[in-house]
Amino acid sequence: MAQEGSHKTRSKAPRHGGLVAVAGALLLTLGGCSLLDGWSQDEGWTKHGLNDAETRHSGLTEISRENVDQLRPVWSFEFPIRRGIEATPIVSDGVMFVTGAWSETFALDAQTGAEVWRYDPQVDREVAKFACCDVVNRGVALDNGKVFLGTLDGRLVALSEESGDELWSVQTTPKGEAYTITGAPRVVKGKVIIGNGGAEAGVRGYVSAYDTETGERVWRFYTVPGNPADGPDGEISDAPLAEATSSWTGEFWKQGGGGTVWDSMSYDAELDLLYIGIGNGSPWVHALRSPDGGDNLFLSSIMALRPDTGEYVWHFQTTPADNWDYTATQHLILSDLELDGEVVPVIMQAPKNGFFYVLDRRDGTFISAQNYVQTTWASGVDPETGRPIETPEARYGTEPVILYPSVFGGHNWQPMAFSPQTGLVYIPANDAPMPFAIDPEYEYDPQSGENRGVSALPFQLPQEAEARQEALAGLRALYKGALIAWDPVAQEERWRVPYSMANNGGLLSTAGGLVFQATADRRLVAYDAESGEEVWSHYLGTGVVAPPITYRIDGVQYVSVAIGWGGSMPVTLGAVMGKESAAGSYRVLTFALEGEPLVEEAIAAIEPVPVSDAIREANASIATLTAGNAAYAKHCFVCHSSSAIGGGVIPDLRQSYATTEADVWRAIVREGGLTMNGMPSFVDTLSEAESEAIRQYVLKQAQIDAGI
């Protein structure tokens, strides 16, 4: 097994060049077996990434550059809960399966949007405190008449595709521990593959496979070592972890270690390799979890496993000794590229760390990497070893150091797309900085849901109204996004569409020469896949983070997207990103060239909330406000954002009735009065005095907002 400093590299790996990807789906083969399983099955969208290679490129051509300007909405389905929507809808045999907040699952008629059935897994709302990034779900998997769903509270559920009845359910995570599931499962060779989240809360990551018929666990692979004193786990990961343990130091296991497999996977049937992306460390700060150094395998790695057994085959670590939450859980795309005259089977990823990687997917050999966004934490990637070349400021201490990218990454979970026609990968990119600093008062708490080890994220705002507005304006100017068309052979940008906001939706490319993306500024846009020219757009009224899909029924091609503002950036950065993107309806909206156009309701404007007497009269001491600020930063910031500003997804505490009434505040914060809404009780975490100090701090923020 390759250990620290021993990444395999490809000799004469191209850094620049004019060769393009092997054009056309028919050439994307290995030994005569089509890599793009599902290329000829574009009638539906039956897998998370359309095919096992996760290209998200459809062969449908009815909607093209020439007629896309005639596209119009034809049906809509409203989600019952207005929280983050990140799902890729799955379409099979005329039925769409889509998930909403709290892992609710809906079956819809894919031609009309009429509800066929719905399933509510009755998720325990208390687990919301462990969900770093909203109570989202990215979708389901289908196989042999079953719908497979991972729930926020760690269950894997099999439903009847026809009726929505529960067929079996298994708890994949330890109950009561800080694990969650937000990612979509994958089905490979009669097994449902599912990972989990929770590295921010302090857990030990793993990925598991379950029998599709019975729900029995077939294998489990732990991604980071456990306590050496406990001996082997008795799992398929024992042998590789025995070697990986030497890359950790100190009592790392006491804080979980991290390494959760919370999103991306892909599969090569010819090689019989399952590829998984592995996440960040717990805590984020390397010096806190592994004090004497070490690369900390298998954090921030791409790994290949045998799907039948979970047997380890190879890994490549994109960010050794991760110190910045630079996960490698981002979209993994398989393709065949012509490199130096040879067709090479590759796996491609644009992880959070800002570099685009091309690896030989047969054995993990490093081929090339180049930054696709600004990266000040590293000056480049060593072409011989494949290791990032860190800058001196990257290993920050207790004093803040501003680095690019932020913890939200140059690219986060929103899926890319790869077009074999253009040879380009389309990346929903973020280009934003963040100040990193070690929290000198950090103490591990397995029940807090917050074990990052860094100071409050990402910025502390001034306490004067005018200065605050200036600071927010400056931050909004920094947090930008872009759609980048990337040449993976030349490792260079071919074109870019800049956005005024970060956190835009995932991508879809089509054989009609189009790239579709829904945006944070509330539009669905179609671009020319060759040039990046905008050729059509439709106002949605709500910001979108989910990716669009396309499918065909009875000769009609549809484009559909799940709409709903939420996830990590809108929640944590609500102060910066504002409320406008969350103002509209949360729904599935579907478009076609023909059919009765849908009449959409106007989006109501956000009305200001009157300032109450309780806000005007609040007069807490400096000591109370200081204590409240500290407690808020530790326990409330990650959901309610800087200075309690909120972002439209989670309630704005400055405008909440509960803030103005001490008894109501106490009933919610300490007694769990809104647990069913996802606001857990903090009775075991916050004292009465701390809770009241936070309330006074929020009242002060409301005064600042009102100019009092």
Side-chain angles (χ1 to χ4, degrees):
M1 182 181 71
Q3 283 288 335
E4 297 180 54
S6 63
H7 285 23
K8 289 183 289 185
T9 58
R10 177 183 171 84
S11 60
K12 300 181 180 178
R15 300 292 169 258
H16 303 283
L19 294 175
V20 297
V22 180
L26 294 179
L27 292 180
L28 289 175
T29 62
L30 286 173
C33 176
S34 175
L35 170 65
L36 297 184
D37 175 30
W39 176 268
S40 61
Q41 301 174 25
D42 291 304
E43 298 298 312
W45 188 285
T46 60
K47 298 184 179 182
H48 188 68
L50 180 59
N51 43 59
D52 286 333
E54 299 263 336
T55 62
R56 291 183 178 259
H57 177 82
S58 169
L60 296 180
T61 58
E62 182 183 76
I63 300 170
S64 67
R65 283 173 287 204
E66 289 70 32
N67 62 17
V68 69
D69 61 340
Q70 301 171 42
L71 203 60
R72 66 278 187 99
V74 293
W75 66 257
S76 177
F77 170 81
E78 196 83 12
F79 287 110
I81 300 175
R82 289 171 49 89
R83 291 289 292 267
I85 301 296
E86 296 186 355
T88 294
I90 300 294
V91 178
S92 177
D93 295 326
V95 179
M96 175 182 290
F97 304 91
V98 64
T99 55
W102 297 109
S103 316
E104 281 195 285
T105 304
F106 307 87
L108 312 174
D109 184 311
Q111 289 180 290
T112 67
E115 184 176 315
V116 178
W117 55 255
R118 71 172 61 185
Y119 171 77
D120 183 354
Q122 297 292 312
V123 167
D124 178 2
R125 268 36 177 181
E126 282 281 354
V127 303
K129 68 179 181 181
F130 298 136
C132 75
C133 311
D134 208 353
V135 294
V136 296
N137 187 281
R138 296 187 194 92
V140 301
L142 302 183
D143 185 68
N144 196 27
K146 297 181 182 65
V147 180
F148 299 99
L149 164 72
T151 68
L152 190 70
D153 53 4
R155 287 171 285 153
L156 179 64
V157 181
L159 306 174
S160 166
E161 187 175 323
E162 182 178 356
S163 66
D165 292 339
E166 186 175 301
L167 302 176
W168 55 256
S169 176
V170 60
Q171 184 71 38
T172 74
T173 60
K175 295 200 73 170
E177 295 189 22
Y179 288 92
T180 55
I181 294 178
T182 55
R186 309 298 202 277
V187 175
V188 178
K189 301 177 72 176
K191 297 166 189 65
V192 193
I193 316 297
I194 191 71
N196 46 62
E200 280 69 33
V203 303
R204 183 187 180 198
Y206 56 84
V207 60
S208 307
Y210 293 83
D211 185 279
T212 56
E213 294 300 316
T214 66
E216 293 184 8
R217 180 154 65 90
V218 180
W219 56 259
R220 174 164 291 173
F221 192 103
Y222 283 95
T223 57
V224 297
N227 185 349
D230 292 339
D233 298 301
E235 303 289 355
I236 192 66
S237 49
D238 284 350
L241 286 182
E243 297 185 51
T245 300
S246 63
S247 67
W248 294 74
T249 63
E251 296 179 318
F252 58 85
W253 62 89
K254 289 188 174 181
Q255 300 180 79
T260 47
V261 183
W262 54 265
D263 193 34
S264 187
M265 305 178 203
S266 55
Y267 174 62
D268 186 324
E270 180 71 13
L271 295 174
D272 194 30
L273 289 178
L274 168 70
Y275 304 97
I276 63 172
I278 301 174
N280 55 282
S282 177
W284 287 352
V285 181
H286 182 240
L288 294 179
R289 69 172 184 267
S290 191
D292 296 321
D295 281 357
N296 294 180
L297 296 174
F298 295 100
L299 297 181
S300 304
S301 295
I302 300 168
M303 182 177 286
L305 304 173
R306 295 291 179 200
D308 285 325
T309 63
E311 176 189 358
Y312 166 91
V313 179
W314 60 258
H315 81 278
F316 179 87
Q317 192 172 38
T318 60
T319 310
D322 175 39
N323 198 42
W324 313 270
D325 186 26
Y326 287 163
T327 63
T329 52
Q330 284 59 53
H331 193 175
L332 298 166
I333 294 179
L334 311 184
S335 183
D336 297 339
L337 302 182
E338 187 176 342
L339 305 171
D340 292 343
E342 175 189 358
V343 176
V344 180
V346 303
I347 186 167
M348 302 180 288
Q349 187 187 53
K352 274 191 184 181
N353 73 11
F355 293 94
F356 188 95
Y357 290 82
V358 179
L359 309 177
D360 188 322
R361 70 173 180 272
R362 293 170 294 191
D363 58 10
T365 296
F366 172 78
I367 295 176
S368 63
Q370 187 61 257
N371 64 301
Y372 60 94
V373 293
Q374 185 174 182
T375 55
T376 62
W377 77 278
S379 60
V381 173
D382 189 304
E384 300 303 322
T385 66
R387 293 177 68 91
I389 305 167
E390 292 185 18
T391 56
E393 61 268 28
R395 296 287 158 180
Y396 53 88
T398 55
E399 292 299 316
V401 175
I402 296 178
L403 298 172
Y404 282 83
S406 74
V407 297
F408 303 104
H411 168 226
N412 208 295
W413 66 268
Q414 288 94 328
M416 307 183 296
F418 170 70
S419 169
Q421 293 178 310
T422 64
L424 300 178
V425 177
Y426 303 97
I427 310 172
N430 300 313
D431 205 349
M434 199 190 89
F436 288 85
I438 299 174
D439 181 358
E441 299 181 3
Y442 168 74
E443 292 182 4
Y444 175 62
D445 178 358
Q447 287 298 310
S448 72
E450 296 298 322
N451 287 291
R452 293 168 169 84
V454 295
S455 296
L457 303 176
F459 296 92
Q460 291 287 348
L461 295 174
Q463 296 299 300
E464 297 75 30
E466 186 174 344
R468 173 171 292 185
Q469 291 306 312
E470 291 179 0
L472 282 172
L475 290 174
R476 286 168 183 152
L478 287 174
Y479 276 76
K480 300 297 186 183
L483 166 56
I484 298 174
W486 190 263
D487 184 334
V489 177
Q491 282 284 19
E492 63 185 18
E493 181 181 306
R494 288 269 290 272
W495 52 259
R496 169 186 295 240
V497 176
Y499 290 130
S500 61
M501 295 176 66
N503 201 52
N504 296 281
L507 275 300
L508 160 69
S509 68
T510 75
L514 297 169
V515 174
F516 288 90
Q517 183 179 28
T519 65
D521 63 3
R522 298 171 284 177
R523 297 178 298 146
L524 177 62
V525 189
Y527 299 97
D528 185 303
E530 289 278 2
S531 67
E533 176 190 0
E534 182 179 319
V535 291
W536 172 85
S537 71
H538 183 86
Y539 182 68
L540 301 173
T542 310
V544 180
V545 289
I549 65 164
T550 189
Y551 57 94
R552 181 167 56 201
I553 301 176
D554 294 339
V556 177
Q557 183 182 354
Y558 298 88
V559 174
S560 191
V561 63
I563 299 169
W565 190 236
S568 59
M569 287 187 78
V571 171
T572 307
L573 285 183
V576 176
M577 307 201 75
K579 301 179 181 180
E580 292 77 10
S581 292
S585 62
Y586 287 46
R587 55 186 170 155
V588 178
L589 188 60
T590 300
F591 299 79
L593 295 173
E594 54 188 86
E596 188 69 25
L598 179 72
V599 178
E600 298 185 86
E601 295 182 5
I603 304 300
I606 299 175
E607 297 293 337
V609 177
V611 179
S612 69
D613 290 341
I615 292 174
R616 296 181 185 281
E617 296 168 3
N619 188 28
S621 67
I622 295 297
T624 297
L625 293 175
T626 300
N629 185 8
Y632 179 92
K634 182 176 181 180
H635 300 286
C636 313
F637 171 89
V638 72
C639 287
H640 293 280
S641 191
S642 293
S643 306
I645 290 177
V649 182
I650 303 295
D652 186 334
L653 296 179
R654 302 169 307 165
Q655 299 175 354
S656 170
Y657 170 73
T659 302
T660 64
E661 298 291 332
D663 290 345
V664 177
W665 178 276
R666 184 183 306 108
I668 294 172
V669 175
R670 286 181 48 80
E671 299 171 16
L674 288 181
T675 297
M676 287 306 297
N677 289 358
M679 171 64 189
S681 167
F682 283 81
V683 68
D684 296 328
T685 307
L686 293 170
S687 68
E688 184 74 45
E690 289 173 321
S691 173
E692 177 59 19
I694 293 173
R695 188 177 78 88
Q696 293 298 328
Y697 167 76
V698 174
L699 285 170
K700 180 63 177 178
Q701 306 316 302
Q703 287 182 337
I704 294 170
D705 182 53
I708 298 174

